[in-house]
Amino acid sequence: MKRYIRQYFRMFKLSFMNEMTHRGNFLTWAIVHTTSFISMIVLFKIIYLGTSQIHGWSQYQAMLVLGVGTLVTGIGSLTFFPFMYNFGQDVQNGDLDLKLLKPLDVLFQSAFCWVDVEDIIVAPNAILLIVYSLWKLSPQNIIINLILFLILLLSSLMILFSVLTLIQSLTLKFIRVDYVAGFFWSLVNITKYPAKAITNIGKAGLILLVPVAVISSVPAEVLFGRFDWLWIFGSVISAIVMFFLSRWVFYKSLKSYSSASS
Amino acid sequence: MRKYLLFIWVSFLNLIEYRLNFVWSVAGTIIQTLMIYMFWTAVLGSGFGNGIYDRSSIGLYYLFITFVGTFASFDFFRIAHLINSGNLGMEIIKPYNFIIKEFAQTIPDKILKLSIMILIYLVIKYFGVNHQLSIIQIIFSSLAMVLAAVSKFYIGLSIGGLAFWFKRVHGFNALFWNVGGLFSGDLLPLNLMPAILFSVSAYLPFRYLAYFPVQIMLGKINFGWELLAGIGLQLIWVLVFSALCKLIWKFGMLEFDASGK
């Protein structure tokens, strides 16, 4: 485990040095992410100008979901999100060979291949909104809420990681899956909406809403002190199951890899 | 003309060969649209919007927004990559117009996505959503969509062209469209915005890239001066973006040495 942590920090340092050679790009992205975040806050503000709540969700509860969804995105960008960009290229070019030869877990090497330092501003922005919303909501027992929130945050990241691993396993079979990034970003983006505020939908809608709710709405609920134990346990258990299942699928699919142009 | 038809054909074959890739791109768009639609039905259910939209009209609004968005989208990344890798040098010495070729290559993707969207629209209508599209609406919304696509094409070429000076241009693209998201009607219908923001959007190009064609489809534009003024403004923005694109490429080519970065 120590070896993997050391490996991650070494990569972080290299990615950071690389990013700093394009400072203009780094600054542009800081502005981009902040503008994007502000536009979502403006959207929520506009909505709550016309209504006091959406099916029991107040303005700052919805903002908390936006903050948590953005925090998940920010942490994902600094850890495993780069998995969605280069893996397909590695499979097409046969560069995965190099990873197979190294004495490190292949899934770890593929997922944590570099750090998206240009997205570093996302997490602090999200934390600011979370703190502000919590201040407005002033929940009780914040310490307990926070501990449970951190567990659920980890679950959310594990679920997203598992989904990405399952999608990328397909790359090993179908070779060219360039739009995976677009698809995955679509999934990540919708976690910023308070999915649990959406009611009166059919079964098809529920299939989409449950995972989205698990990723951002459930941790946000815990943070402001609403404990829905079925969702909480469901989230943790599904994260563990999905993590091991996706790992198994990935290594199973890896068997069909036969170097360049396979 | 024949060589451009060939580009279209090759691009189509490429799409068929990597069909799973295409499925992912469509699936992502559909999931996002579905989520935003469900969110908006919840918002409208809470009393927001003063009855301007109901469950079915907001659904149609987001379906048409996706419709226009997927039809008009253009991949600036390919252009930036050609410049960064130096491969643009090989492209511009070949006996075809590079810009027309790039546009031609996007046509099969647009047609296929459009067909899927039309199919979804027909399925929704079959299940009882009440919406009528007259011939005039189809003609003018198609024209508005084509103008939006041309505008987005020039915007994509301009942003991609920034690669003549910058190694990574994704940030510029994201910045442009993030601001645009709020004023184009992608995030929320513009007529649900506060009056001041709605007025501001009239002076920006974004509403003519998505909101305006959608309003024609929804039948919320008067077929008179309002329509003509909208189309006229779309034409003006096309001219502005094409001029900007020409300027960027004219000065960019002076920087280009075909060796890559």
Side-chain angles (χ1 to χ4, degrees):
Chain A
M1 188 68 183
K2 244 183 189 173
R3 194 158 56 123
Y4 287 98
I5 294 171
R6 213 180 310 132
Q7 172 76 7
Y8 171 76
F9 281 109
R10 198 176 299 149
M11 210 160 45
F12 186 93
K13 190 181 158 193
L14 287 172
S15 305
F16 191 79
M17 282 159 62
N18 181 286
E19 188 63 34
M20 284 306 116
T21 57
H22 307 290
R23 284 195 190 91
N25 182 70
F26 178 76
L27 282 173
T28 312
W29 273 107
I31 297 166
V32 166
H33 287 306
T34 309
T35 316
S36 168
F37 191 52
I38 290 170
S39 65
M40 282 300 286
I41 294 173
V42 169
L43 170 71
F44 278 75
K45 281 274 177 198
I46 291 171
I47 290 170
Y48 280 98
L49 276 177
T51 183
S52 59
Q53 52 172 282
I54 308 168
H55 294 145
W57 284 72
S58 69
Q59 178 179 180
Y60 292 103
Q61 288 171 342
M63 289 280 192
L64 208 53
V65 176
L66 172 62
V68 173
T70 311
L71 182 64
V72 169
T73 313
I75 299 173
S77 294
L78 295 178
T79 50
F80 61 88
F81 277 14
F83 189 18
M84 73 177 113
Y85 301 120
N86 270 12
F87 186 68
Q89 206 74 38
D90 284 352
V91 173
Q92 276 182 54
N93 301 340
D95 292 341
L96 193 64
D97 296 5
L98 294 169
K99 287 177 178 154
L100 289 168
L101 291 172
K102 285 180 190 165
L104 277 172
D105 185 76
V106 184
L107 181 54
F108 174 85
Q109 286 184 72
S110 307
F112 296 80
C113 48
W114 95 83
V115 179
D116 246 339
V117 181
E118 60 193 15
D119 294 351
I120 207 162
I121 195 78
V122 177
N125 276 346
I127 291 168
L128 270 178
L129 183 67
I130 289 172
V131 171
Y132 179 70
S133 304
L134 278 177
W135 176 60
K136 285 281 183 186
L137 291 165
S138 47
Q140 292 178 329
N141 306 322
I142 188 73
I143 304 290
I144 297 169
N145 298 0
L146 207 62
I147 292 168
L148 209 52
F149 167 73
L150 290 175
I151 295 169
L152 288 169
L153 186 68
L154 185 67
S155 296
S156 304
L157 289 165
M158 276 171 74
I159 290 170
L160 278 178
F161 177 73
S162 307
V163 170
L164 189 54
T165 306
L166 286 171
I167 294 171
Q168 290 297 39
S169 301
L170 288 173
T171 307
L172 291 159
K173 289 218 177 261
F174 296 95
I175 312 299
R176 190 175 161 187
V177 198
D178 303 342
Y179 284 111
V180 159
F183 177 77
F184 191 71
W185 273 118
S186 300
L187 286 183
V188 171
N189 284 337
I190 58 178
T191 62
K192 288 161 191 167
Y193 295 92
K196 285 190 81 180
I198 300 168
T199 52
N200 302 328
I201 42 146
K203 276 183 186 165
L206 268 180
I207 292 168
L208 172 66
L209 281 183
V210 170
V212 175
V214 162
I215 289 165
S216 57
S217 297
V218 177
E221 264 187 333
V222 164
L223 209 48
F224 66 76
R226 191 191 287 166
F227 299 95
D228 198 335
W229 292 107
L230 183 69
W231 281 89
I232 293 169
F233 283 119
S235 169
V236 175
I237 291 166
S238 57
I240 296 167
V241 171
M242 280 183 75
F243 179 76
F244 287 106
L245 178 75
S246 62
R247 204 177 150 77
W248 179 77
V249 170
F250 181 82
Y251 279 98
K252 197 89 179 151
S253 308
L254 201 60
K255 285 181 183 164
S256 55
Y257 174 72
S258 51
S259 198
S261 306
S262 60
Chain B
M1 186 63 193
R2 219 168 140 186
K3 53 193 167 195
Y4 299 111
L5 287 175
L6 205 62
F7 280 127
I8 295 173
W9 177 242
V10 171
S11 177
F12 177 71
L13 291 178
N14 202 29
L15 238 139
I16 299 297
E17 179 62 30
Y18 298 109
R19 47 200 173 273
L20 185 73
N21 207 22
F22 180 77
V23 169
W24 281 119
S25 75
V26 175
T29 313
I30 291 175
I31 285 176
Q32 201 159 346
T33 309
L34 201 63
M35 179 68 197
I36 294 173
Y37 162 66
M38 289 192 292
F39 174 67
W40 273 102
T41 54
V43 172
L44 293 173
S46 69
F48 178 84
N50 301 323
I52 298 172
Y53 289 92
D54 60 17
R55 207 182 160 103
S56 104
S57 61
I58 198 80
L60 278 172
Y61 176 85
Y62 278 106
L63 179 72
F64 291 148
I65 278 283
T66 312
F67 213 87
V68 178
T70 46
F71 179 78
S73 68
F74 176 70
D75 185 11
F76 77 97
F77 178 72
R78 257 179 57 80
I79 306 294
H81 183 68
L82 279 173
I83 297 168
N84 277 330
S85 62
N87 290 341
L88 181 69
M90 292 300 290
E91 290 282 345
I92 52 177
I93 57 167
K94 286 178 184 165
Y96 51 69
N97 184 310
F98 170 69
I99 291 177
I100 298 175
K101 178 214 150 195
E102 282 301 315
F103 192 77
Q105 280 183 329
T106 65
I107 291 173
D109 183 76
K110 287 186 196 303
I111 292 173
L112 220 56
K113 280 180 178 164
L114 201 63
S115 314
I116 292 170
M117 293 293 165
I118 291 171
L119 202 69
I120 293 172
Y121 173 72
L122 291 175
V123 169
I124 287 173
K125 274 202 75 159
Y126 177 78
F127 282 106
V129 170
N130 185 26
H131 180 253
Q132 300 300 325
L133 261 177
S134 66
I135 297 290
I136 299 175
Q137 261 175 294
I138 293 173
I139 291 168
F140 280 102
S141 58
S142 305
L143 176 65
M145 269 169 67
V146 169
L147 289 173
V150 176
S151 280
K152 279 196 171 182
F153 174 70
Y154 280 122
I155 294 167
L157 272 183
S158 304
I159 293 172
L162 294 176
F164 286 119
W165 296 276
F166 301 94
K167 191 158 189 254
R168 296 161 87 174
V169 295
H170 298 66
F172 297 106
N173 183 62
L175 186 61
F176 188 82
W177 293 117
N178 278 340
V179 175
L182 203 58
F183 292 103
S184 65
D186 280 330
L187 273 179
L188 84 163
L190 294 183
N191 48 357
L192 293 183
M193 280 175 120
I196 178 117
L197 290 177
F198 184 71
S199 310
V200 169
S201 76
Y203 300 99
L204 298 170
F206 306 109
R207 74 187 281 175
Y208 302 100
L209 302 176
Y211 183 76
F212 177 67
V214 169
Q215 291 302 97
I216 300 175
M217 287 180 208
L218 288 172
K220 290 187 176 177
I221 296 273
N222 296 323
F223 288 99
W225 277 112
E226 195 181 1
L227 179 72
L228 290 177
I231 298 280
L233 281 164
Q234 272 196 309
L235 275 169
I236 290 171
W237 282 115
V238 166
L239 291 175
V240 169
F241 288 124
S242 75
L244 182 73
C245 176
K246 274 181 189 147
L247 205 69
I248 288 174
W249 277 74
K250 186 183 168 190
F251 287 104
M253 288 307 282
L254 299 175
E255 297 282 322
F256 185 63
D257 55 11
S259 63
K261 288 189 179 124

